[in-house]
């Protein structure tokens, strides 16, 4: 049976959830943050899962209204500060991916602090994709490798990426069937699950059901059975 060692999630549908409940979009993001905590804690308990990568803010999300972007930045900072003790308590290592240099110095400091304080943790790795886009990640990696004389190999390119780990199971909530610039290289052989549930309604029970289905899939990687 397959093991979902690396699960990646496109957490989509916060705004629509809020609209459905006659609330402002930001209320959906607030509720979404609670689900991040629930799902992370669930993954800690699953022996198979070593890595959980969550898409929190894309390189394209800057196109949103300033107030929403500002709210998301504040929410992220608040979440990381509040949950630092949870990361440590549950032995979770925090690893951001994406170009965080575009964030305010205070947010960068908070991100780096959680990263440093959880560097010793050797349980689940929770990776938040922050100002992340696969195209940007690949361009930064290629530019990093530019000065090297040898030919670039699959291994050297993979190692130069922010996320160096292939995805086993990729889930997108919110009903859309697209990857929106998320982990394109790493998901080459991921099993894809697109579900209608809006992120604030997602639960560990639903994740459990997806993992059960994932385990039964025949993953051939181009070979025959
Ligand atoms: C995903 O929810 C969260 C972020 C992109 C930060 P959305 O905000 O995209 O919610 P919908 O898709 O508009 O419902
Ligand atoms: C993808 O959701 C990004 C995150 C979940 C952070 P979007 O809502 O930004 O994606 P599109 O615009 O529908 O492709
Ligand atoms: Mg969306």
């Amino acid at each position: 049976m397959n093991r979902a060692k690396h699960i990646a999630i496109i957490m989509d549908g916060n705004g629509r959830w809020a609209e459905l409940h006659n609330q402002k979009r930001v209320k959906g993001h607030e509720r979404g943050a609670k689900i991040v905590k629930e799902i992370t804690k669930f993954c800690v308990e699953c022996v198979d899962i070593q890595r959980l990568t969550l898409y929190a803010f894309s390189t394209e999300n800057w196109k949103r209204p300033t107030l929403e972007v500002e709210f998301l930045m504040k929410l992220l900072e608040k979440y990381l500060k509040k949950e630092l003790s949870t990361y440590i308590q549950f032995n979770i290592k925090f690893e951001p991916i994406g170009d965080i240099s575009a964030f305010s110095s205070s947010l960068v400091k908070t991100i780096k602090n959680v990263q440093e304080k959880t560097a010793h943790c050797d349980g689940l790795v929770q990776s938040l994709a922050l100002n992340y886009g696969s195209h940007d990640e690949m361009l930064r990696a290629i530019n990093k490798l530019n000065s090297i004389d040898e030919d670039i190999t699959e291994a050297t390119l993979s190692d130069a990426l922010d996320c160096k780990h292939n995805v086993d199971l990729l889930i997108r909530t919110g009903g859309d069937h697209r990857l929106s610039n998320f982990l394109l290289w790493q998901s080459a052989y991921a099993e894809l699950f697109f579900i209608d549930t809006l992120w604030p309604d997602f639960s560990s029970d639903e994740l459990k059901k997806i993992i059960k289905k994932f385990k039964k899939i025949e993953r051939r990687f181009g070979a025959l059975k």
Side-chain angles (χ1 to χ4, degrees), residues 10-12 55-57 61 64 172 178 180:
I10 301 173
M11 311 183 288
D12 197 23
Y55 207 3
F57 192 85
N61 286 147
R64 296 189 178 201
R172 181 180 186 131
R178 58 175 169 264
S180 301

Side-chain angles (χ1 to χ4, degrees), residues 17-127:
W17 181 91
E19 277 154 28
L20 266 173
H21 292 82
N22 291 316
Q23 293 180 20
K24 297 223 164 78
R25 288 180 56 83
V26 293
K27 288 287 168 196
H29 297 315
E30 254 169 17
R31 166 121 178 168
K34 292 203 175 82
I35 309 301
V36 168
K37 184 170 174 181
E38 180 192 329
I39 295 303
T40 304
K41 279 169 79 176
F42 169 78
C43 290
V44 167
E45 306 298 327
C46 298
V47 278
D48 278 357
I49 307 171
Q50 296 166 359
R51 185 171 287 273
L52 172 69
T53 304
L54 303 170
Y55 207 3
F57 192 85
S58 76
T59 45
E60 286 72 37
N61 286 147
W62 297 105
K63 294 175 195 161
R64 296 189 178 201
T66 315
L67 278 178
E68 182 167 340
V69 171
E70 277 173 3
F71 184 90
L72 286 166
M73 298 298 142
K74 278 199 197 114
L75 181 65
L76 174 63
E77 190 155 3
K78 212 163 82 183
Y79 181 88
L80 290 175
K81 280 184 176 159
K82 182 162 170 274
E83 299 305 338
L84 174 59
S85 56
T86 312
Y87 281 98
I88 294 168
Q89 186 193 344
F90 289 92
N91 195 23
I92 302 165
K93 185 189 277 191
F94 171 69
E95 273 184 8
I97 56 167
D99 181 9
I100 60 165
S101 70
F103 293 157
S104 71
S105 56
S106 143
L107 180 53
V108 171
K109 209 169 124 192
T110 304
I111 292 168
K112 290 200 169 147
N113 184 47
V114 179
Q115 199 177 0
E116 278 160 26
K117 297 261 165 66
T118 64
H120 67 282
C121 296
D122 59 3
L124 179 78
V125 179
Q126 187 223 50
S127 186

